[in-house]
Amino acid sequence: GAGVSQTPSNKVTEKGKYVELRCDPISGHTALYWYRQSLGQGPEFLIYFQGTGAADDSGLPNDRFFAVRPEGSVSTLKIQRTERGDSAVYLCASSPVPGTVTYNEQFFGPGTRLTVL
Amino acid sequence: QKEVEQNSGPLSVPEGAIASLNCTYSDRGSQSFFWYRQYSGKSPELIMSIYSNGDKEDGRFTAQLNKASQYVSLLIRDSQPSDSATYLCAVNPNRDDKIIFGKGTRLHILP
């Protein structure tokens, strides 16, 4: 079966531009997570969706970052007025339906490497 | 602040030996614990999950959890060069919440 997919795999943009990063979770997984990983660090939580709603967006660093999941499947992370400090690998993960034995095991996509020049 | 602490390494282990990776966490109420393997330039791959005190074995991997000491470990038996990677310890404080990751331990298996 298909795993989590993310597009694009690489994105190079200029400071001040707007970018969208897309995540397609594993089929049937209701929970979707966005993380950001800088070199030498572990993934840092950004936002978590349960279905269509953002259950926890406490990790979003500021109001330039926004994410949506309008139909409870594909999610888009949107970054406005990008800054050089936004450069990182953005990871998406999904996990199965709550109530199953292993429902909070998270499975990661390949990531999008964002470079802001 | 909920934290997960790991020694960054590198940890060098001879091929065929046992590699022991350790992790401590600060939130005493944490319930779910995970080990991810991450090869350079790749995304994290889940290799073990553990939810109750004691040992859990899967092939060459054994996860150990001690909630009283807030300590999680991963043992890799018969280490292979392909085990060389960064190992991330992750803790889920609540069953439907985010995962808090450590910075990872770099493991190098010496041929």
Side-chain angles (χ1 to χ4, degrees):
Chain A
V4 178
S5 62
Q6 292 187 247
T7 54
S9 56
N10 281 284
K11 177 70 178 178
V12 180
T13 191
E14 294 180 343
K15 181 176 178 297
K17 299 290 189 182
Y18 168 82
V19 297
E20 290 189 352
L21 311 179
R22 176 189 166 106
C23 172
D24 198 344
I26 293 171
S27 178
H29 282 193
T30 61
L32 184 148
Y33 306 78
W34 284 99
Y35 294 85
R36 176 169 71 173
Q37 187 174 26
S38 300
L39 195 62
Q41 303 293 316
E44 172 193 19
F45 170 79
L46 296 177
I47 186 169
Y48 152 54
F49 289 90
Q50 184 60 258
T52 60
D56 184 348
D57 64 358
S58 62
L60 295 177
N62 51 60
D63 61 6
R64 296 186 297 106
F65 288 75
F66 188 71
V68 295
R69 193 186 186 198
E71 298 179 356
S73 180
V74 171
S75 175
T76 304
L77 179 65
K78 308 180 181 191
I79 310 175
Q80 298 178 321
R81 304 184 303 280
T82 52
E83 300 178 355
R84 293 192 180 89
D86 298 335
S87 296
V89 175
Y90 288 80
L91 294 164
C92 177
S94 69
S95 64
V97 177
T100 60
V101 172
T102 58
Y103 85 92
N104 58 357
E105 291 182 342
Q106 297 182 19
F107 300 90
F108 283 83
T112 294
R113 181 175 298 277
L114 176 66
T115 303
V116 182
L117 300 176
Chain B
Q1 178 75 14
K2 298 172 183 175
E3 294 182 345
V4 178
E5 299 288 339
Q6 295 181 257
N7 189 319
S8 63
L11 175 65
S12 295
V13 173
E15 183 176 356
I18 295 175
S20 178
L21 304 162
N22 304 312
C23 169
T24 59
Y25 59 94
S26 63
D27 186 349
R28 184 171 290 278
S30 298
Q31 299 188 34
S32 306
F33 308 86
F34 308 95
W35 284 99
Y36 284 81
R37 177 175 63 198
Q38 187 171 29
Y39 292 115
S40 181
K42 301 296 186 182
S43 62
E45 173 192 7
L46 179 66
I47 55 172
M48 289 289 286
S49 58
I50 187 166
Y51 303 94
S52 55
N53 279 328
D55 295 359
K56 178 181 178 182
E57 184 175 323
D58 184 0
R60 295 186 297 112
F61 298 98
T62 299
Q64 299 175 318
L65 173 61
N66 183 328
K67 289 186 178 180
S69 300
Q70 296 174 236
Y71 179 90
V72 194
S73 64
L74 179 70
L75 301 177
I76 306 175
R77 289 181 299 281
D78 187 23
S79 297
Q80 302 297 310
S82 60
D83 295 327
S84 297
T86 296
Y87 288 80
L88 297 163
C89 175
V91 175
N92 185 199
N94 302 296
R95 284 183 63 82
D96 59 351
D97 206 347
K98 58 187 174 284
I99 283 179
I100 309 296
F101 282 87
K103 293 184 178 181
T105 298
R106 285 182 295 136
L107 175 65
H108 185 189
I109 305 302
L110 303 170

